[in-house]
Amino acid sequence: AQTVTQSQPEMSVQEAETVTLSCTYDTSENNYYLFWYKQPPSRQMILVIRQEAYKQQNATENRFSVNFQKAAKSFSLKISDSQLGDTAMYFCAFMSSNAGNMLTFGGGTRLMVKP
Amino acid sequence: SAVISQKPSRDICQRGTSLTIQCQVDSQVTMMFWYRQQPGQSLTLIATANQGSEATYESGFVIDKFPISRPNLTFSTLTVSNMSPEDSSIYLCSVEEGYGYTFGSGTRLTVV
């Protein structure tokens, strides 16, 4: 079974600075997908970024980028130029088609952006 | 991306009663997923619902407690039966799309 671990329950960052959220996972699969989801107080789950395991290039979406280290099974999220609206819970998630296509989530990191 | 309408957004229920949560998708999707998010916790998959077949439940979840219907490719319901305070959680439905997963806005359930 796949497991996803987020070792930072809470983090804070000053507005306009950069923060990195950590995520590690455990799997015996070779083909899979990794995701970062954001959940603001509204509780809506919002896809931030995704990475295909077969791609060596790290995914980037505007201020959000990942550092994907397949051998180390590490998938960290970097948020640049942090904004107040980035305050939310962030969940790392794993999906493999061999595991039923469902998402396995990490425990989450609560990020607070301070003005 | 798909738009999911999830109802109700919140409810307060008496223990021993049941609540049915609905998710309506604006496009046809093969797989729908139901998650539970207990207070301060992450999301845990309850079951996967495919149209035309019985839902597949994850360990720790049973059909008698969480019956699911999937009558067509755009709609699904999850019922939380014989509720107890331990069932107080956010329940979310989700669908798979080509690039990721889209979630409903969640149902915040409080059992008193």
Side-chain angles (χ1 to χ4, degrees):
Chain A
Q2 284 69 229
T3 59
V4 180
T5 303
Q6 294 178 246
S7 59
Q8 306 149 316
E10 294 186 359
M11 293 193 72
S12 63
V13 62
Q14 291 296 132
E15 192 176 9
E17 294 189 348
T18 296
V19 64
T20 298
L21 308 184
S22 301
C23 173
T24 59
Y25 58 94
D26 188 23
T27 184
S28 58
E29 301 289 336
N30 192 46
N31 296 317
Y32 51 86
Y33 297 83
L34 296 162
F35 304 85
W36 278 97
Y37 277 87
K38 167 185 177 181
Q39 187 181 42
S42 67
R43 73 175 180 264
Q44 179 70 54
M45 293 289 285
I46 301 166
L47 177 63
V48 175
I49 200 165
R50 86 165 197 168
Q51 175 80 41
E52 295 91 338
Y54 64 85
K55 289 186 177 179
Q56 292 186 333
Q57 186 173 4
N58 289 324
T60 300
E61 287 288 342
N62 301 314
R63 297 183 296 108
F64 300 88
S65 61
V66 298
N67 183 4
F68 173 49
Q69 301 290 327
K70 190 173 183 179
K73 296 181 181 176
S74 172
F75 183 61
S76 61
L77 174 70
K78 184 171 81 171
I79 306 174
S80 304
D81 186 25
S82 297
Q83 302 176 359
L84 297 178
D86 295 334
T87 293
M89 284 290 293
Y90 286 81
F91 293 100
C92 178
F94 173 100
M95 188 281 283
S96 169
S97 58
N98 290 335
N101 279 39
M102 80 283 199
L103 290 171
T104 300
F105 286 91
T109 297
R110 184 178 303 278
L111 176 66
M112 173 74 72
V113 180
K114 298 180 179 180
Chain B
S1 62
V3 176
I4 303 176
S5 173
Q6 183 171 344
K7 297 178 181 179
S9 61
R10 61 179 60 223
D11 207 340
I12 301 173
C13 300
Q14 296 291 324
R15 66 177 67 200
T17 63
S18 297
L19 175 72
T20 295
I21 302 167
Q22 301 179 1
C23 275
Q24 178 75 52
V25 190
D26 69 346
S27 59
Q28 293 185 338
V29 294
T30 303
M31 302 177 76
M32 292 184 72
F33 305 89
W34 287 97
Y35 290 86
R36 181 177 73 181
Q37 186 177 22
Q38 294 177 299
Q41 302 294 314
S42 184
L43 283 75
T44 300
L45 182 68
I46 298 172
T48 303
N50 291 331
Q51 193 266 336
S53 62
E54 286 208 3
T56 303
Y57 289 83
E58 297 300 303
S59 176
F61 298 96
V62 295
I63 187 171
D64 290 347
K65 176 67 175 177
F66 298 100
I68 288 170
S69 78
R70 184 80 201 275
N72 57 54
L73 292 173
T74 63
F75 187 78
S76 180
T77 68
L78 169 76
T79 299
V80 186
S81 303
N82 188 25
M83 287 183 287
S84 66
E86 291 71 34
D87 295 319
S88 297
S89 295
I90 295 171
Y91 293 86
L92 301 103
C93 62
S94 175
V95 300
E96 180 190 8
E97 301 191 86
Y99 55 87
Y101 294 75
T102 299
F103 287 80
S105 54
T107 296
R108 182 182 296 276
L109 171 62
T110 302
V111 184
V112 297

